[in-house]
Amino acid sequence: MSENLLEAAQHRAASVVDLAQRLVRAPSRGGIDPYEPVLTILEDWLTEHLLPHRRLRSPDGTLVGLLVEVAGASPGPWWALDACLDTAPFGDESAWSFSPTSGDIEQGWLLGRGSADSKLAAATFVHIAADVRARAHELAGGLAVLLDVDEHTGGFGGALAYLADPQATRPDGVMIGYPGLDEVVVGGRGLWRAQVKVHGASGHSGSSRPTVGAISRAAHLIHALDNADLPTPADGDPFALPPKISVTACHSGEGYSVVPDLCTLNIDIRTTPAYTEHDAHHLVHAATAALDRNHPTQHPTTVNTVATWPPFQLGPGQEPAATLLRAAKKTGLEPRPKTAGPSNIGNLLALHGIPATAGFGVPYEGLHGIDERAHLTELPHVYAVYHQTVLDLLRQA
């Protein structure tokens, strides 16, 4: 690795971990905790290190993130590092073997919710921004660090506010600091989501007259969707993952004596380049039309599309993945490019034509579950890889 960045990262690690510990100890569960405390910790650190930053707000004024910007000495492409500061909920706290806001280090692990996803990455990225600022005079373009506090809600408000901000330079690529040492995520399945309202005849459950309620009709629809014929990837397809359909929620009825006249289903379909949102839309509408035709009732089934994201996959040699993978090899790591099954913020960026990697970081356990923790031994290598990648990208102009 050039300029002995790995040795420099080893010296930086203690400061990174100290900042990450403070962030973990400030609970910031998405949609539950106030974000002011965790943002203030970072704002104080950024101010102390003379890094220009500002808060990001949604159109209604809600606080959704922080943006750090470091400009080079000459014009060129801008690149962004992205990490979320909000976290998943704690779940059953009694099941944890330590406090979800521990922030302690045991046997080389940083403990607590957000340690893996993604407060350690946030602490790493702002330190890299400080390193880049110290040599901005020799670089072109610029580096942005996006710190989102609306990621685990599914709103991605920080990213949307960043892209909509007229003062911000649109990035040529983004690297998202999700954890995992063995892979650089370069793609993900898209999604098509809909809420389906299935109607039926209501009545008393003890009535002598036959009643086909909404739940019974919904069961026919669920069976049809579960048995839908979805394509498998062709041999040699670089995307490789198949589409997937899931019924993720079913709401209807109350008590025992009334047969309900409405059942609401949530449908989630993961899409691929070979099976698009249009295919998903057609599948569900065809299935509901068949339900109404074969099991008629007074009111037709309705389908309301609530979200669509395209699949994405970076091509061989496409930035910023290519430079990130090269930098990893310089440190002796061999992460493989991976297209992920779940969608991620890279899908949102793909909607805006911005290429993104969505995962390379330290090993972890318990992400979104109990006993979340991040392993710190590999932190200097991860730090050096991102630092080298940013410097290489900012020198290409």
Side-chain angles (χ1 to χ4, degrees):
M1 172 154 288
S2 65
E3 305 177 39
N4 209 5
L5 292 184
L6 181 55
E7 182 179 345
Q10 290 166 342
H11 290 296
R12 276 296 215 181
S15 177
V16 173
V17 171
D18 174 74
L19 178 57
Q21 287 180 286
R22 286 185 278 150
L23 295 174
V24 170
R25 288 167 179 156
S28 53
R29 293 165 291 178
I32 299 174
D33 297 310
Y35 302 129
E36 191 78 28
V38 74
L39 289 174
T40 298
I41 292 169
L42 264 180
E43 286 176 316
D44 289 346
W45 191 94
L46 293 167
T47 299
E48 179 185 350
H49 291 81
L50 305 178
L51 281 165
H53 60 278
R54 51 194 165 87
R55 293 188 171 191
L56 295 172
R57 297 187 179 275
S58 65
D60 67 0
T62 302
L63 180 61
V64 290
L66 280 177
L67 182 64
V68 183
E69 295 171 301
V70 179
S74 58
W78 276 67
W79 305 90
L81 299 171
D82 173 34
C84 58
L85 288 173
D86 66 332
T87 73
F90 296 154
D92 181 4
E93 294 186 48
S94 67
W96 287 64
S97 59
F98 48 81
S99 167
T101 56
S102 167
D104 292 342
I105 298 171
E106 289 186 5
Q107 298 180 337
W109 293 90
L110 172 62
L111 309 180
R113 177 64 83 224
S115 57
D117 184 15
S118 294
K119 292 180 176 180
L120 183 61
T124 298
F125 288 168
V126 295
H127 277 78
I128 289 174
D131 291 339
V132 169
R133 184 182 179 277
R135 57 196 309 170
H137 60 280
E138 61 187 70
L139 302 173
L143 172 67
V145 178
L146 172 63
L147 303 163
D148 199 331
V149 291
D150 190 36
E151 197 261 16
H152 282 84
T153 62
F156 297 103
L160 291 171
Y162 172 37
L163 297 176
D165 190 339
Q167 300 178 56
T169 303
R170 182 184 178 89
D172 284 67
V174 177
M175 290 170 282
I176 304 161
Y178 296 138
L181 195 68
D182 297 328
E183 298 159 341
V184 173
V185 176
V186 297
R189 287 189 291 199
L191 61 80
W192 181 89
R193 289 174 174 167
Q195 188 174 83
V196 177
K197 293 186 179 295
V198 181
H199 300 270
S202 65
H204 197 291
S205 60
S207 173
S208 59
R209 292 178 297 179
T211 304
V212 180
I215 294 176
S216 296
R217 296 186 76 245
H220 287 288
L221 179 59
I222 293 171
H223 179 76
L225 294 174
D226 283 346
N227 290 276
D229 186 19
L230 299 178
T232 57
D235 290 342
D237 185 343
F239 200 83
L241 292 170
K244 182 181 180 182
I245 183 168
S246 303
V247 178
T248 58
C250 179
H251 302 288
S252 185
E254 184 177 357
Y256 295 92
S257 62
V258 177
V259 176
D261 58 3
L262 177 65
C263 183
T264 302
L265 304 177
N266 289 355
I267 310 297
D268 178 283
I269 299 180
R270 298 301 164 130
T271 60
T272 70
Y275 193 86
T276 68
E277 63 186 74
H278 301 290
D279 298 309
H281 180 276
H282 175 76
L283 169 66
V284 173
H285 279 267
T288 57
L291 173 70
D292 290 344
R293 185 172 59 251
N294 298 329
H295 305 278
T297 191
Q298 183 176 0
H299 300 289
T301 305
T302 61
V303 180
N304 178 35
T305 303
V306 297
T308 60
W309 277 5
F312 81 101
Q313 186 179 53
L314 304 190
Q318 189 172 354
E319 300 294 11
T323 297
L324 182 60
L325 287 164
R326 284 196 300 270
K329 289 183 179 180
K330 292 178 183 178
T331 67
L333 301 175
E334 292 285 345
R336 59 186 179 277
K338 176 189 177 181
T339 298
S343 304
N344 55 64
I345 197 171
N347 297 83
L348 171 64
L349 294 166
L351 273 173
H352 296 266
I354 299 172
T357 60
F360 172 73
V362 299
Y364 65 95
E365 293 179 357
L367 189 146
H368 285 205
I370 63 169
D371 287 355
E372 181 178 344
R373 66 188 79 195
H375 202 244
L376 298 175
T377 302
E378 298 81 1
L379 175 61
H381 287 80
V382 171
Y383 188 107
V385 168
Y386 277 111
H387 192 185
Q388 183 74 67
T389 299
V390 169
L391 291 177
D392 289 346
L393 289 170
L394 295 178
R395 287 168 173 158
Q396 290 180 10

